[in-house]
Each structure stands twice: as structure tokens, then as C-alpha cells.
Amino acid sequence: KAGVTQTPRYLIKTRGQQVTLSCSPISGHRSVSWYQQTPGQGLQFLFEYFSETQRNKGNFPGRFSGRQFSNSRSEMNVSTLELGDSALYLCASSADRGMGQPQHFGDGTRLSIL
Amino acid sequence: QKEVEQNSGPLSVPEGAIASLNCTYSDRGSQSFFWYRQYSGKSPELIMSIYSNGDKEDGRFTAQLNKASQYVSLLIRDSQPSDSATYLCAGDTNAGKSTFGDGTTLTVKP
């Protein structure tokens, strides 16, 4: 069974630009969550999608948005990039959340803002 | 106060020793708990899950949960250098809210 696939693996952008990251979950998984990981802040929850609906949301500004498609693939968009957005963005999928189902992480997208 | 607190590291143990990693949580709605291992430059990988009070053993790993004390721990027996990594504790509520600790970095010295 293929794991969680995130693309691209690396991305370099400049301040003010926008970026879209993609995540394909494990087949059959309907829940996709996004996290931001930085050395100083650890793993921070961005949002979770289940069956194309945002079900949970972390404390990030509105510049961070996402969506999920009918095949459970998810995208995350960050607009008006800031230097502080440089981080590893991780996607995790699970069969469902809140039912004791563990999350399985992709390799992440490392975003660098110049 | 963070919702999930892990014992601050780094933690260093000699090869063959028992490594003890601890985690406390503040959200009493948390029902499911997970331990993830993250090697440097890699993404987290699930190593243990625990849902009810008591111990759960899987090979060299034992997870312990005490909901009354809001405490979760991970014991690694016969620690190996390959166990050197950052260990993340996470708690999930039934509503699907997931909170991670900042992680404890473990170094196992040969």
C-alpha cells in the first residue's frame, strides 16, 4: 500500500508570493491533516479535512487555507508569504480522526522563503 | 501551558539501558494517545498507540497511560543507537483534535 505522498518536496519562494502544496493520502483514508514544523515551535496543527469538509482548524492566520477533493487528495495554500512561513509542512492521513485512528505522515514539503 | 508537555531533553542513555520518555496532557477530552519517532530530517512515524489505562507492550517498547493523572509514558528497553531520534507524544480527542508535544530528543550512546 502506497504511503502518503507530498509534492513538491522542496520549494523556494520570495516574500509576498503564494504557494500551493499537495498531499495524496493512503488509499482509503478520508482524513487529511496539515502541520507546520519549525525548530522553535515544534509541530503545529493547521487544519484537518474529512470528506471534503474542514473539520478542525488550528490557530493560523487566514493566509493559510486548504481544501480536499472527492478523491481525498488535499491541497494547502499559503498566500502573501512571510519569512516566518519557512518551515517543513507535513501532511498526515488517517482512516478517520477522533476514533482512535493513528495518523500516517508524508515526507513533507520544505518551504524556504527568501 | 502547552496542552501536551514532554520532559525536556535531550535524554542520553547508554546502549542496552532503558530509556524513559514522559508526557502530560491538560485536555481531559483526549482519549487516544500516540508516540511517534522522528529521525533528523525525516517525518514522524508511528511507533505506539494506547487508548486505555495501563500498559501496552510491543517488542522493546512499552506505553503506559494513566488518565486520572493525565500522564503518558514510553519505555524503550535494551536501547540501541538506532533508537536515537526525537520522540513525539500526541493526544487525540474524540472530536478529532490532535495535539503534539514538542518532542524529546533521545541519544543512545554505544
Side-chain angles (χ1 to χ4, degrees):
Chain A
K1 205 178 207 184
V4 178
T5 303
Q6 289 188 249
T7 57
R9 289 294 310 280
Y10 303 93
L11 208 48
I12 299 175
K13 292 287 187 179
T14 57
R15 282 183 299 172
Q17 288 186 309
Q18 75 165 20
V19 67
T20 299
L21 311 181
S22 180
C23 172
S24 293
I26 291 172
S27 177
H29 284 190
R30 296 164 65 190
S31 169
V32 174
S33 298
W34 289 89
Y35 295 88
Q36 181 194 67
Q37 188 173 40
T38 58
Q41 297 296 318
L43 203 61
Q44 302 292 313
F45 172 70
L46 281 153
F47 29 66
E48 183 229 354
Y49 285 87
F50 183 84
S51 292
E52 301 179 67
T53 300
Q54 186 181 89
R55 192 163 62 170
N56 288 289
K57 189 176 188 303
N59 297 321
F60 277 80
R63 300 186 296 107
F64 292 83
S65 63
R67 58 178 176 169
Q68 187 180 34
F69 302 95
S70 58
N71 62 357
S72 293
R73 189 178 72 85
S74 177
E75 288 183 347
M76 188 189 90
N77 184 274
V78 188
S79 62
T80 319
L81 287 165
E82 300 176 359
L83 293 178
D85 296 333
S86 294
L88 177 66
Y89 290 88
L90 291 162
C91 165
S93 76
S94 66
D96 193 0
R97 292 281 302 281
M99 303 298 290
Q101 296 292 327
Q103 298 180 74
H104 300 270
F105 286 84
D107 289 335
T109 293
R110 187 163 296 280
L111 175 63
S112 298
I113 311 302
L114 302 179
Chain B
Q1 182 193 4
K2 290 184 69 75
E3 291 188 31
V4 176
E5 299 261 11
Q6 293 188 239
N7 50 333
S8 59
L11 177 65
S12 180
V13 301
E15 184 175 355
I18 295 175
S20 177
L21 305 164
N22 303 312
C23 171
T24 58
Y25 61 95
S26 60
D27 187 348
R28 287 197 172 272
S30 296
Q31 298 294 322
S32 307
F33 299 88
F34 307 94
W35 283 98
Y36 292 84
R37 176 176 62 198
Q38 186 173 23
Y39 291 114
S40 180
K42 300 292 187 181
S43 62
E45 59 175 322
L46 178 73
I47 53 172
M48 289 286 285
S49 57
I50 187 165
Y51 311 109
S52 53
N53 284 327
D55 295 359
K56 179 181 178 183
E57 188 175 315
D58 183 1
R60 296 185 296 111
F61 298 94
T62 299
Q64 299 173 318
L65 173 60
N66 184 323
K67 290 187 178 181
S69 300
Q70 296 176 254
Y71 175 88
V72 190
S73 68
L74 179 71
L75 297 177
I76 306 174
R77 291 182 300 282
D78 188 24
S79 295
Q80 301 296 308
S82 59
D83 295 327
S84 298
T86 296
Y87 290 80
L88 300 168
C89 168
D92 279 13
T93 68
N94 285 339
K97 177 186 171 187
S98 184
T99 308
F100 282 78
D102 287 342
T104 299
T105 298
L106 171 67
T107 300
V108 181
K109 296 186 175 180

